Amino acid sequence: MALNKGVKYGEAIKANFTATLTEGAGNNNEAVDETPTSKKTADEITAAYQNGTETGLKYESVKVEKIPGMTDDMARGVDVSTYQAMLKAGVKYYDFNGKEADLFDVLKEAGVNWVRLRLWNNPYNADGQGYGGGNTDEESLIKTALQAKKYGMKVLLDFHYSDFWADPAKQILPKSWKNLSSAELNEAISLYTKKVLTDMEKAGVAPAMVQIGNEITKGTFGYDADQLTGGDWNKLWQSNYGTTVARYLATAAKAVRTANKDAKIAVQFESPDVNRYRMIMTVLKNNGVDYDYLGTSYYPFWGSSNNNPDNLLKVQEMAQKEFGKRVVVMETSWLNNVNDSDGTGNNIGYAPSDYAVGPQGQVDEVTALYKSLVAGGGVGAFYWEPAQIAVRAGWNSWNYNKQLANVYGTGWASKYVIGYAPDNEMHYNGKETWGGSTWDNMGLFDDHGYPLQSLLVYKGMLEGYQSAENTASTVTPKLSALYGADQSSLKAENQLKLGQDLTLTNYLDGTVSKYLNGVKGTKISEASLKALFAGLTDGLKSDQFKDEAGNNYHYEYWLGGNTSAEKLANFLKANVGATYGSPITVNYTATLVKDEKVIEKASSTVEA
């Protein structure tokens, strides 16, 4: 009153309001399909991966057994080298509650305590256009390492000593090292290694572990068995080539010791093999290579006769007994599905037999690996690129994903690496192979950035873990009112009673039944209830039946209410607080109709 004292007609009336900011319960405006992939049809799964809609992968449940003897200081790592490229392209990640979150926050919550980050010397062409695969230069390395430090994670630095992928198929020298003499190359290796480590030290992100070379079973520093010895790794290492490679590795190791005396040094081979590893380690020993850990790649789908827990244990025993080296698994992964989500074909698009394909299979592969490491006194392991997902989900978006791979380096390769990478990798049968990710079906995140339950394997191996049960509610039609003709002449089996469950058919459209699936005990959103209501059928007619005197009758069933709005309101009221796993009630009225002749059944769908 005081605020408007003396106010006249035609003048503004003032009013004071208070405002209270409240936190909402989340998006309740969209119906949620929480159907796991395993409960979807093949056609539904194909459509989801084609169009980028819900695959159901994040709703797959897992069980993780606690591993006896596993300690918290064991490396539970992931390789997230493409992280900066994904961010630049606008990829988002979410936490286990479905809220947008920093990737490292999600990893930390899941129990990850290490990250592995690869480094390429200069992954750009003369025009500054990136080669792809994350364009993992020193700048992106330090940015990601700073993020890891923020969340208390240790860093493993992976020197490839190349401008692009270094692996068993190729070990290409950086462009700037191509024409150096042996002495000059040796000096370049030393200076570059010390420079990177000094830069990281200055940035406050000194790595706790450094690997010198990446998957060097067939050589490194431009020495490649496929090019020099017809693919014979044994011949390469037993020749002067092997001696030269070992001396370069010794130079790299010495540079690490000089620049970061606290870092552990590792070498990395691939596909565990006792005899092969022993032979290469002997060459390294004879040439004075100073390192702490034997690293290995471990991919069961690329040769399970080597990549299995028993063989890994044998390698650990050999490395410990004969060389005094503990083992760390530098790379591993398993399939969450066999489908492509971004339009670039996957490296593994079939279902290997070692473990089930899916989140539980991922858990089983990782836990089997860690059991072997625990038994052998291993350092730990790193899951390779669990967060390299589609920039835009759906293989219909193949061209978009391919073009963004050129701009941001989000895919395995961009077109700008042509001329540096081998042509047989950039083209197949005359067609381009560069583009999006070839690893998206190995992720511990789905194609929209939501974590899979399998990511919780890292915490589960220490504590044990089992996902909440994903269950389906049932829809129960009940009789809420009875109208029409007198039932007294009806046979007992045709008489209805108020409140009884009704045996009806075709009362719910199958396309909305997906909204019945969810985590047991959690509340079903109003939006999902509305979607279910929209699939209910109104005006159902029963089969015709006769009374004791031979007269024809049928029942007509109508949803309670006079209008569509009333029917919806009654349905929502009947299911307030409904949770997944509990019955959904649908109240129908029944009208008994006496027929003059034989009739056909008819029904109509409700309009929400």
Side-chain angles (χ1 to χ4, degrees):
M1 294 293 289
L3 188 64
N4 294 288
K5 186 176 181 180
V7 72
K8 299 176 181 177
Y9 288 108
E11 296 178 345
I13 303 294
K14 298 178 181 179
N16 285 333
F17 288 89
T18 62
T20 302
L21 180 63
T22 61
E23 181 179 4
N27 185 1
N28 200 38
N29 297 319
E30 295 183 7
V32 180
D33 173 10
E34 296 187 19
T35 308
T37 312
S38 56
K39 293 183 179 180
K40 292 179 180 287
T41 66
D43 287 344
E44 288 173 333
I45 294 170
T46 298
Y49 281 99
Q50 176 180 353
N51 302 315
T53 52
E54 179 57 60
T55 66
L57 206 56
K58 68 187 179 195
Y59 299 117
E60 288 290 338
S61 59
V62 302
K63 183 177 182 180
V64 187
E65 299 287 351
K66 179 180 179 180
I67 298 179
M70 184 170 176
T71 57
D72 188 55
D73 61 350
M74 198 167 194
R76 303 182 305 281
V78 294
D79 188 316
V80 287
S81 298
T82 56
Y83 176 59
Q84 296 300 325
M86 305 304 285
L87 288 184
K88 290 175 183 176
V91 171
K92 299 182 185 300
Y93 298 95
Y94 301 85
D95 63 20
F96 289 98
N97 294 317
K99 295 182 179 179
E100 187 177 336
D102 188 293
L103 172 63
F104 282 82
D105 194 17
V106 184
L107 295 174
K108 181 73 173 180
E109 180 186 355
V112 172
N113 62 353
W114 277 78
V115 294
R116 178 177 185 254
L117 303 174
R118 68 177 166 270
L119 177 63
W120 293 331
N121 290 40
N122 179 25
Y124 302 94
N125 66 13
D127 296 321
Q129 295 160 316
Y131 288 166
N135 297 335
T136 53
D137 58 11
E138 186 178 331
E139 180 183 359
S140 70
L141 163 71
I142 290 177
K143 281 184 178 179
T144 306
L146 284 167
Q147 196 69 358
K149 179 182 178 180
K150 177 181 175 182
Y151 285 92
M153 299 179 188
K154 294 181 180 180
V155 172
L156 160 58
L157 169 59
D158 174 14
F159 278 108
H160 277 229
Y161 295 117
S162 181
D163 291 339
F164 198 48
W165 301 108
D167 52 46
K170 59 192 175 298
Q171 293 283 339
I172 306 172
L173 271 177
K175 296 181 291 293
S176 62
W177 293 0
K178 185 176 180 180
N179 297 315
L180 299 181
S181 67
S182 178
E184 290 170 336
L185 178 56
N186 196 62
E187 181 69 8
I189 293 168
S190 178
L191 291 175
Y192 176 70
T193 303
K194 286 188 282 190
K195 176 194 178 299
V196 171
L197 291 171
T198 300
D199 291 345
M200 294 184 74
E201 177 74 32
K202 290 179 180 178
V205 289
M209 193 189 310
V210 178
Q211 67 172 87
I212 47 176
N214 190 79
E215 293 188 325
I216 64 171
T217 316
K218 291 186 176 182
T220 185
F221 299 114
Y223 286 79
D224 180 357
D226 287 342
Q227 300 296 322
L228 299 172
T229 57
D232 189 334
W233 58 269
N234 185 63
K235 186 181 292 186
L236 180 136
W237 284 105
Q238 303 248 26
S239 70
N240 288 334
Y241 295 134
T243 300
T244 301
V245 169
R247 288 175 179 172
Y248 287 145
L249 288 168
T251 295
K254 184 178 180 181
V256 175
R257 295 289 190 221
T258 301
N260 184 346
K261 61 182 179 62
D262 295 323
K264 298 294 185 181
I265 301 175
V267 295
Q268 181 193 3
F269 309 146
E270 45 80 30
S271 195
D273 184 301
V274 170
N275 293 327
R276 180 191 305 166
Y277 283 19
R278 176 189 288 121
M279 191 276 289
I280 300 174
M281 294 173 77
T282 299
V283 174
L284 300 186
K285 181 179 180 179
N286 292 342
N287 286 277
V289 180
D290 176 18
Y291 66 102
D292 304 289
Y293 299 148
L294 167 62
T296 182
S297 297
Y298 179 94
Y299 294 113
F301 43 75
W302 279 329
S304 58
S305 60
N306 287 77
N307 296 274
N308 65 72
D310 291 340
N311 200 48
L312 178 61
L313 183 57
K314 292 176 183 177
V315 167
Q316 292 180 85
E317 291 170 346
M318 178 275 296
Q320 286 267 24
K321 181 179 179 180
E322 300 180 26
F323 297 91
K325 309 297 182 185
R326 296 173 68 196
V327 169
V328 53
V329 172
M330 295 299 192
E331 300 176 26
T332 192
S333 68
W334 192 253
L335 297 77
N336 60 43
N337 78 99
V338 295
N339 297 282
D340 167 41
S341 67
D342 71 348
T344 295
N346 295 323
N347 280 331
I348 306 296
Y350 61 91
S353 60
D354 308 85
Y355 304 96
V357 170
Q360 184 62 55
Q362 292 179 311
V363 166
D364 295 341
E365 190 270 345
V366 172
T367 53
L369 161 63
Y370 270 90
K371 285 178 182 178
S372 179
L373 289 170
V374 170
V379 177
F382 294 83
Y383 196 101
W384 200 71
E385 290 287 10
Q388 188 185 21
I389 60 175
V391 176
R392 179 183 290 172
W395 49 260
N396 272 352
S397 298
W398 66 269
N399 189 53
Y400 178 87
N401 290 318
K402 189 171 184 176
Q403 297 312 317
L404 261 67
N406 289 330
V407 176
Y408 298 110
T410 48
W412 83 270
S414 80
K415 65 180 180 181
Y416 302 117
V417 75
I418 294 174
Y420 181 79
D423 188 64
N424 63 353
E425 288 196 354
M426 300 306 296
H427 296 89
Y428 181 74
N429 289 338
K431 295 182 179 180
E432 301 165 342
T433 61
W434 54 268
S437 172
T438 60
W439 210 250
D440 45 289
N441 68 325
M442 300 284 177
L444 298 176
F445 291 79
D446 73 4
D447 52 351
H448 291 278
Y450 290 88
L452 306 184
Q453 287 290 292
S454 48
L455 180 60
L456 290 165
V457 66
Y458 293 104
K459 184 179 291 185
M461 289 186 293
L462 290 170
E463 306 171 356
Y465 174 75
Q466 185 162 359
S467 306
E469 180 185 354
N470 189 295
T471 188
S473 292
T474 57
V475 178
T476 304
K478 286 184 176 294
L479 182 63
S480 60
L482 184 60
Y483 304 105
D486 183 11
Q487 292 192 91
S488 59
S489 65
L490 300 183
K491 298 176 183 178
E493 63 264 26
N494 297 130
Q495 294 184 17
L496 298 178
K497 295 180 180 179
L498 291 179
Q500 77 169 70
D501 292 348
L502 297 171
T503 303
L504 302 178
T505 58
N506 300 322
Y507 62 89
L508 183 68
D509 187 336
T511 61
V512 301
S513 60
K514 58 189 177 183
Y515 300 119
L516 293 169
N517 293 287
V519 175
K520 187 174 183 178
T522 61
K523 186 178 178 181
I524 303 175
S525 71
E526 183 176 299
S528 293
L529 288 172
K530 287 181 177 179
L532 288 168
F533 174 80
L536 292 172
T537 303
D538 207 6
L540 289 164
K541 289 184 179 181
S542 72
D543 290 334
Q544 199 171 54
F545 53 88
K546 295 180 182 294
D547 66 2
E548 298 287 358
N551 298 304
N552 291 318
Y553 290 87
H554 74 274
Y555 285 109
E556 293 185 358
Y557 300 99
W558 297 89
L559 293 165
N562 295 317
T563 64
S564 291
E566 279 188 23
K567 294 173 190 285
L568 172 60
N570 289 338
F571 176 75
L572 294 176
K573 183 178 180 180
N575 293 287
V576 169
T579 60
Y580 291 109
S582 62
I584 301 296
T585 299
V586 183
N587 288 319
Y588 277 97
T589 65
T591 301
L592 180 61
V593 179
K594 186 175 182 180
D595 303 317
E596 298 299 327
K597 58 182 180 179
V598 176
I599 61 168
E600 298 292 333
K601 290 192 294 182
S603 61
S604 60
T605 302
V606 180
E607 292 185 3

